[in-house]
Every structure is written in structure tokens, then in C-alpha cells.
Amino acid sequence: LTPKNRNIKAAYAEVLIPILEDLELTGAVRLDDYSDFGSTVNPKISAKYRPVDWLMFRASYNTGFRAPAFNQIYNGATISPYSGSDLVDPVRCPALTPSSTAGSPCFRIRPEIITRGNRNLQAETSKQASAGIVFEPSRNFSASLDWWKIDINDDIQLPTLLQIVTYSADLGDLIIRDGGGNITFLDQAWQNMGARKTEGLELTLRGGVDGMGGRFTAGLDGIYLLKKTEKVTESAPFQDQIGIFSFTGDLGIRWKHNAFIGWSNEEWNFSLSQIFRQGYKNGALPGIANGTVTRPDYNKRVDDYITYNFSLGWQVDSKFKLTAGIRNIFDTDPPFAITYDGNTGAGGSWEPRVADPRGRSFSVAVETNF
């Protein structure tokens, strides 16, 4: 990547309008000007309504803009061999199921792979909306529930090799053939690909009660996915991604939460927390559904991932504090998942976007004030 530069100018304005004593509106607008992409204007409007002290309603809507990074635009081309066995010629083998029989239309192909930036890459745009309620009847309890929705268009992605082959009707320009019609290169350049629609609920609970010379507290932060759909190209249909493995982007885990319980006074404090990630449909090699590619003990579903952490703190005096902690108390291994990518070598039978392979660990922290 040779030295590149862009000039960015931005202006932002916000206004708060108290419609009623219990109702307020906020309007905002942001103007961004990129020397290599032009200008974009993105507004936001939000509202808060508090009919009583212990109850509040809120909502918002805004649009967004993300310009591609320099590497995604200007990176030079790198050519590397491919040694996998999961690719076929989509013209000769419309079923896209690789075969080990040499000379058959579905015999696996091993073209060379070009990775590079894309000078024609455009910015991606988004629309976001949310609405929620906050309930706080006393100092000992509060709860909030928010619905949110995010739509992204012209998504900036690096297409996988399987996507290039599978969606060759739209990504055919990335398939390079020789004079005999054989695929010699796959051009894995950054693309503006399709769209994503995500929708979910976010729950927050907090509680507390005085006892044993201190205060007990507990809480939960959880996210429940209502919708996660993606389409790889503009003409492709939207596909449900909730609870299904994917090599790119975020995993659409249906439910995940962080929960904790603790106690504290002026001298001591402790906290026990739980991290929960719901399981999902495992990845599969091409053709595994119809038995053409199998392996022993294939698990169709990745198990739930649950770990617990503990910390204990001692405020020795006003200037000295000790904290000890145990991460992953029960030394839980990540659940087995097919994440190994033969192209990049990433992954190793566990999912780094969900799980941590490091096992139980201990920590000690010392804080002092001078």
C-alpha cells in the first residue's frame, strides 16, 4: 500500500426541544465531506416521554455512512495458490457439490487466488431505529427493554471463495478463465455486496438490597435476536442467519447475556458473573447434507457456551486496595465448532467470535494512591 490521503470535513448540529414538561424531542444532523467520496448528510431524531418519575419511554431514528478504509481500496494484488477441495466450476457443476473423481464435471478445482483492494469500492449506508421503555419503581430495582433495528446497504465485504462460486451469476467478473474455459484465477477483491437487516431486543435488569452490613446487587444484560437476514448480492434473496454459522460478519446468536451477583461495603466486595452464549447450527463442508462429504461424529449443532468469573476486593485503607480474580472458574473448554478456514488458516475447532480457549486463569491487582 503506497502512501494515500483523503481530506475529511464534518459539521454537526443538535437542538433540544421541550414540547411538554414530560416530553422532549432532539433533532440532529451531521454533514460529512470526503475528498474521494463526496458529501453525505445524515439526520437523527429522538424523543423521551416521562409521564411519571418511575417510567420513561424513548425512541430514535437515524441514518449512517461508512467510507471504506484505504487498504480496502488501494491494496495491491497478491497471488497465492489454493489447496482446498471445496470449490467447483459453477458452469460445469451447477449443484456445487465437489467430487473426488478426476474428469467428472464436479471434480474439485484449485485456481490461484488474487487478493487486492478495489478502486471502485463505494461507501456503505445504514438506517437505524429504536424504541424502548425504562421502569424504575424504587432505588432497589430498575429494568429497561429496547427494540432496535439496523439496515445496511452496499455492505463492504471481502467475498469468500465459496460465495464467488455460488453467486457467480452476479460475481462472474471475479472468475477468470483461460482460453479453454477453465477457471485459472478467483479475484477475491473487496466488494459492495448485498445488504443486511438485523433486529433485536435488549434487556437490562438491575436490583439491590441492603444486608449483612453491606449491599447485595444483581443484574443482567441480554440481547435477543428477532431477525438477522443477509443477501450476498443485490439480486440474491435474503437468507435467515439466526443461529447459523457463517465465516464472515457477526454470528447470529439468538440469545446471549452477561449476568452478575455481588456484595459490597466500605471494606470488602465480591462479584460472581456468568457469560452465556446460546448454541447455533454448526458449519458444514459442501455436500455434507447429502452425505457426499462426511467426517466421523459430525455435530450438527454447536453447544451453548457458559463460563463463570469471580472477583474479591479488599479496601485495606484509603490509599491501598487489593483485588483477586478467577476467570473461567470451571475451566470450561469452548464447544467444538467447524471454523477452520483453509484459505487463511484461521480458527482451530473453536469459534473466536463466541468463545475463549484460554481456560481458567487467575489475577491479582494492587492499587495505591499517593
Side-chain angles (χ1 to χ4, degrees):
L1 178 65
T2 57
K4 301 295 179 182
N5 65 78
R6 64 163 56 127
N7 297 319
I8 306 173
K9 300 175 183 177
Y12 177 81
E14 184 175 5
V15 59
L16 173 64
I17 305 173
I19 303 297
L20 300 171
E21 182 179 354
D22 305 323
L23 175 64
E24 65 180 39
L25 293 179
T26 301
V29 63
R30 179 184 174 106
L31 169 64
D32 292 271
D33 181 77
Y34 285 69
S35 59
D36 51 350
F37 283 99
S39 301
T40 178
V41 178
N42 292 287
K44 178 180 179 179
I45 184 170
S46 61
K48 291 183 180 180
Y49 175 54
R50 189 186 292 270
V52 290
D53 291 340
W54 50 268
L55 184 65
M56 182 182 72
F57 299 92
R58 58 191 178 191
S60 69
Y61 173 82
N62 65 282
T63 63
F65 165 90
R66 184 172 78 90
F70 282 157
N71 293 80
Q72 295 171 334
I73 305 172
Y74 299 113
N75 266 1
T78 300
I79 300 177
S80 58
Y82 181 67
S83 58
S85 300
D86 57 347
L87 300 179
V88 295
D89 187 326
V91 174
R92 298 172 181 174
C93 182
L96 303 178
T97 303
S99 168
S100 58
T101 304
S104 68
C106 291
F107 183 60
R108 60 109 182 105
I109 61 171
R110 288 177 175 169
E112 293 194 285
I113 309 304
I114 304 172
T115 56
R116 63 179 179 86
N118 183 354
R119 299 295 180 96
N120 297 318
L121 207 60
Q122 298 298 311
E124 66 181 30
T125 60
S126 65
K127 295 179 181 178
Q128 292 91 225
S130 67
I133 182 173
V134 180
F135 177 67
E136 193 172 1
S138 72
R139 66 179 288 267
N140 292 327
F141 180 76
S142 66
S144 67
L145 181 65
D146 289 276
W147 165 85
W148 50 265
K149 181 179 181 181
I150 303 173
D151 293 346
I152 297 177
N153 293 304
D154 297 321
D155 196 13
I156 299 174
Q157 293 188 43
L158 188 69
T160 67
L161 301 180
L162 280 175
Q163 286 175 338
I164 294 175
V165 171
T166 302
Y167 299 96
S168 58
D170 294 309
L171 301 176
D173 291 343
L174 304 181
I175 298 176
I176 302 172
R177 300 176 182 271
D178 61 17
N182 300 307
I183 297 178
T184 53
F185 294 93
L186 293 182
D187 187 4
Q188 197 177 25
W190 286 92
Q191 303 289 317
N192 291 107
M193 294 175 55
R196 285 184 286 152
K197 297 180 182 291
T198 313
E199 187 176 338
L201 296 173
E202 187 165 329
L203 174 67
T204 300
L205 300 174
R206 293 290 183 271
V209 63
D210 296 329
M212 298 180 62
R215 183 168 178 80
F216 288 94
T217 57
L220 180 143
D221 298 299
I223 296 178
Y224 183 84
L225 276 188
L226 298 171
K227 176 192 291 186
K228 186 179 189 295
T229 59
E230 298 180 2
K231 62 176 182 177
V232 176
T233 63
E234 187 62 32
S235 63
F238 277 99
Q239 296 181 343
D240 185 14
Q241 295 292 318
I242 292 182
I244 299 174
F245 171 82
S246 64
F247 271 118
T248 60
D250 297 324
L251 279 183
I253 297 175
R254 173 71 79 176
W255 170 256
K256 58 184 178 181
H257 72 248
N258 296 346
F260 71 89
I261 184 172
W263 177 88
S264 65
N265 61 17
E266 293 182 355
E267 184 177 0
W268 294 92
N269 69 82
F270 80 85
S271 177
L272 175 66
S273 63
Q274 180 198 65
I275 298 175
F276 176 87
R277 302 293 182 261
Q278 188 175 6
Y280 52 91
K281 184 179 179 181
N282 203 359
L285 295 170
I288 201 167
N290 56 27
T292 57
V293 181
T294 60
R295 70 169 179 81
D297 303 321
Y298 169 67
N299 56 313
K300 294 184 178 181
R301 183 172 177 81
V302 177
D303 293 336
D304 297 342
Y305 180 61
I306 309 173
T307 59
Y308 294 87
N309 306 311
F310 178 79
S311 69
L312 176 66
W314 177 29
Q315 188 71 50
V316 181
D317 54 38
S318 60
K319 295 184 178 181
F320 194 67
K321 181 179 180 180
L322 291 174
T323 303
I326 305 176
R327 183 186 179 99
N328 193 354
I329 297 173
F330 301 109
D331 197 25
T332 303
D333 289 331
F336 184 87
I338 295 181
T339 60
Y340 188 82
D341 186 343
N343 303 330
T344 64
S349 75
W350 58 277
E351 177 49 69
R353 291 168 291 182
V354 176
D356 188 330
R358 289 176 290 184
R360 183 191 299 118
S361 61
F362 302 87
S363 65
V364 176
V366 179
E367 299 177 40
T368 183
N369 299 320
F370 298 95

